[in-house]
Amino acid sequence: MKLNKDIIIKRVNNLLYDSRPKVLRIASIINLISSILGLAVLLYNYGFNLTLKETANVYLSIHIILWIFLLSFLLRWLYAFRRIDFIRRSPVESSVMALLLIRQVVRLWSGPDYLMHQWIDSMNGGGFFHYFTTALLFLLLILEASKASVHLSNIRIRPNAAFVLSFLLLILLGTGLLMLPAMTTQPGGMSFIDALFTSVSASCVTGLIVVDTATFFTMRGQTVIMILIQLGGLGMLSFATFFASFLSGGLGFRQKTLIPDYLDTEALSSSGKLLREIVFITFFIELGTCVLLFFTWTIPFDSLSEKIFFSAFHAISAFCNAGFSIFTNGLYEEVVRNNYILHMIIAVSLILGSIGFTPIKDIFSPDRLRDRLQHPWKDWLLSTKIAVNVAIILLLAGTVLFYWLEEDNVLADMNLTEAVLSSFFQSATTRTAGFNTVDFSQLSNPSLVLCMLLMFIGGSSASTAGGIKTSTFYLILMSVIAISRGQSRIYISNRYVPADILYKALSIFFYGIAINAIMVFLLSMTEEGMDMMALLFEQVSAFGTVGLSTGITADLSTAGKSLIIVSMFLGRIGILTFAVALSTRVTTENFKYPAANLMVG
């Protein structure tokens, strides 16, 4: 019996062999067209306010597209020849197709008229049919996009340039989505400049807003912002590469080089594994924060789904250091202003996000913990020690100084515990998070200067934070100390710092000073009449991707908003990364000029 089965399979394969290349090519084209049509249908469904008749047409279109995807998959499975291996190589896609097949069989068995009414009735309440069917199509579109990203190895582009272009693509997609009518509560939708500003602010995890996120956007618009924050926090290129590796089981050499530098790994072979660990760490921390926030809210919500959405939005915004909130006044909103447990949960999440992925893995990874227990002499990585120690020093210094400067101002109506907790939160949030539990428009000038210093330094490397990074600040500080002592080299933990790393740190510091000076100069011309301290604070906040403001963002002119947009973009991708992406490579450095003797100082 088995012999007859094998003979039948071989005969079928022989019959299909000659037509295989052509059929598979046609199947790929069909998938591409179906993906474009599916994306258009989803945009039409969620981007516009549809009537019941239009919704029914959308429902019919979705089912036609799902049938095409299913038939294309079955066709590729048939022509795979080794059909069991085909299923094993694509377990995710096969699982989705199995769900789709079950869904379509149930639909045919139940009858189209019955399910059509179920669909229309569920639109008002967001029923099962609505979410399940559209979720299947959305999953298929993600799978197709992920499979397309596997071909990144064929793109001849430098990693830095790919990183920059991925953010530009994310920003443009976000801008287009936010301009759709169903994304806002205002008739006529959102203007291009405001949509672009919001998209850049979300994608670059900044938090500066020109409209009230809580009231101007519908839940659909807020969901788009939340997705932009998530993709921007990790980097769209990292997400694409992660899903590509998840589907294909591995990454090619070229794909590994496209992974951004902030993964902080010297071994190219381990970059794919580290990328997957980073994504899982992110989701784990965000899920934990979401659960804690869910049980911490002290305000009434209209529904359970609204409470879950608020928890998820603020959890993602906190860990990604975005600072977006769906309260009109942020965490200074009266209903959450005195919820200090909630403040501390968000503070811990944003601190973890600002420390960086590699230090989190180095400190909390079970493998690393087990290894250090077995080998007590093993210490944290040098980058981890710098990230943690500098973060602690800045947090404590910021807390003490903020309390000292604002004790008789914004902290005057609080008791000692509340004032200390508020000071700690402001010290943490100014390191690129952007949340506020006090009114920043009422801060004294010395406090604003303190906040700007913390915003300029920012968080750690390999994190969701912005600024020049704590490692850059630490290296520059150590170089000043070394020069003061007459040392020719910088030594940290019995290791010396190579000159090229120091040059990079100095370049980042110089670029940071230069871009802020230039932008403030330009803002002083475009925003005549505005307070200079407020403009300076706004610019440093944009460059550090912090999102704190004294309240002038919405009043900026179109030119002023454009300058802030550029600052947010440069602050997120890094000026050095942007410069390298645009520069030409040096052909060789195998030469040496005579030494120059210059008087300095």
Side-chain angles (χ1 to χ4, degrees), residues 206 321 347 350-351 354 394-395 397-399 402 422-438 440 443 447-459 465-467 537 540-549:
T206 303
N321 279 234
L350 64 88
I351 288 171
S354 67
L394 291 176
L395 281 170
T399 301
F402 190 90
S422 294
S423 299
F424 174 79
F425 188 91
Q426 308 326 308
S427 178
T429 196
T430 48
R431 307 245 337 281
T432 86
F435 291 102
N436 64 298
T437 59
V438 298
F440 268 73
L443 293 185
S447 297
L448 292 176
V449 172
L450 170 65
C451 292
M452 283 189 283
L453 290 174
L454 294 174
M455 291 191 297
F456 182 74
I457 296 172
F537 189 89
V540 176
S541 178
F543 172 79
T545 66
V546 180
L548 293 172
S549 175

Side-chain angles (χ1 to χ4, degrees), residues 560-574:
K561 291 176 183 176
S562 301
L563 292 173
I564 295 297
I565 287 172
V566 173
S567 295
M568 291 189 292
F569 181 73
L570 292 178
R572 178 64 185 99
I573 66 171

Side-chain angles (χ1 to χ4, degrees), residues 202-273:
S203 302
C204 297
V205 290
T206 303
L208 289 174
I209 56 173
V210 289
V211 295
D212 183 7
T213 309
T215 58
F216 188 86
F217 294 102
T218 61
M219 183 174 285
R220 295 181 185 183
Q222 292 168 354
T223 302
V224 169
I225 292 174
M226 182 172 64
I227 294 173
L228 291 175
I229 291 171
Q230 185 69 88
L231 293 176
L234 285 177
M236 188 177 180
L237 191 61
S238 293
F239 255 93
T241 310
F242 165 74
F243 281 109
S245 67
F246 186 69
L247 290 173
S248 61
L251 296 175
F253 176 81
R254 180 64 179 168
Q255 287 173 300
K256 291 176 180 178
T257 62
L258 288 173
I259 297 175
D261 292 338
Y262 61 64
L263 293 186
D264 192 23
T265 177
E266 297 179 358
L268 195 62
S269 60
S270 64
S271 58
K273 179 183 177 182

Side-chain angles (χ1 to χ4, degrees), residues 126-308:
F128 173 78
F129 286 100
H130 168 68
Y131 290 115
F132 185 73
T133 307
T134 54
L136 280 177
L137 179 57
F138 185 69
L139 279 175
L140 287 173
L141 294 180
I142 291 179
L143 289 172
E144 290 302 314
S146 301
K147 285 191 290 184
S149 68
V150 175
H151 301 290
L152 285 171
S153 56
N154 299 325
I155 303 175
R156 296 185 175 273
I157 186 171
R158 280 188 277 173
N160 287 322
F163 184 56
V164 172
L165 290 175
S166 69
F167 267 95
L168 287 174
L169 176 61
L170 180 62
I171 289 168
L172 292 176
L173 288 174
T175 302
L177 289 173
L178 292 175
M179 291 180 69
L180 294 174
M183 298 298 166
T184 64
T185 58
Q186 306 298 319
M190 199 175 194
S191 65
F192 172 76
I193 186 64
D194 287 346
L196 177 63
F197 190 101
T198 304
S199 179
V200 172
S201 184
S203 302
C204 297
V205 290
T206 303
L208 289 174
I209 56 173
V210 289
V211 295
D212 183 7
T213 309
T215 58
F216 188 86
F217 294 102
T218 61
M219 183 174 285
R220 295 181 185 183
Q222 292 168 354
T223 302
V224 169
I225 292 174
M226 182 172 64
I227 294 173
L228 291 175
I229 291 171
Q230 185 69 88
L231 293 176
L234 285 177
M236 188 177 180
L237 191 61
S238 293
F239 255 93
T241 310
F242 165 74
F243 281 109
S245 67
F246 186 69
L247 290 173
S248 61
L251 296 175
F253 176 81
R254 180 64 179 168
Q255 287 173 300
K256 291 176 180 178
T257 62
L258 288 173
I259 297 175
D261 292 338
Y262 61 64
L263 293 186
D264 192 23
T265 177
E266 297 179 358
L268 195 62
S269 60
S270 64
S271 58
K273 179 183 177 182
L274 180 58
L275 175 61
R276 288 190 290 272
E277 290 176 345
I278 284 172
V279 174
F280 287 126
I281 286 172
T282 299
F283 288 152
F284 178 77
I285 295 177
E286 288 176 349
L287 178 60
T289 305
C290 179
V291 172
L292 291 174
L293 289 177
F294 180 86
F295 291 105
T296 308
W297 297 114
T298 56
I299 57 177
F301 288 95
D302 294 333
S303 63
L304 177 63
S305 59
E306 184 184 35
K307 188 175 182 179
I308 293 174

Side-chain angles (χ1 to χ4, degrees), residues 561-589:
K561 291 176 183 176
S562 301
L563 292 173
I564 295 297
I565 287 172
V566 173
S567 295
M568 291 189 292
F569 181 73
L570 292 178
R572 178 64 185 99
I573 66 171
I575 298 179
L576 196 59
T577 300
F578 185 73
V580 172
L582 297 180
S583 66
T584 56
R585 293 174 180 262
V586 177
T587 55
T588 180
E589 290 185 345

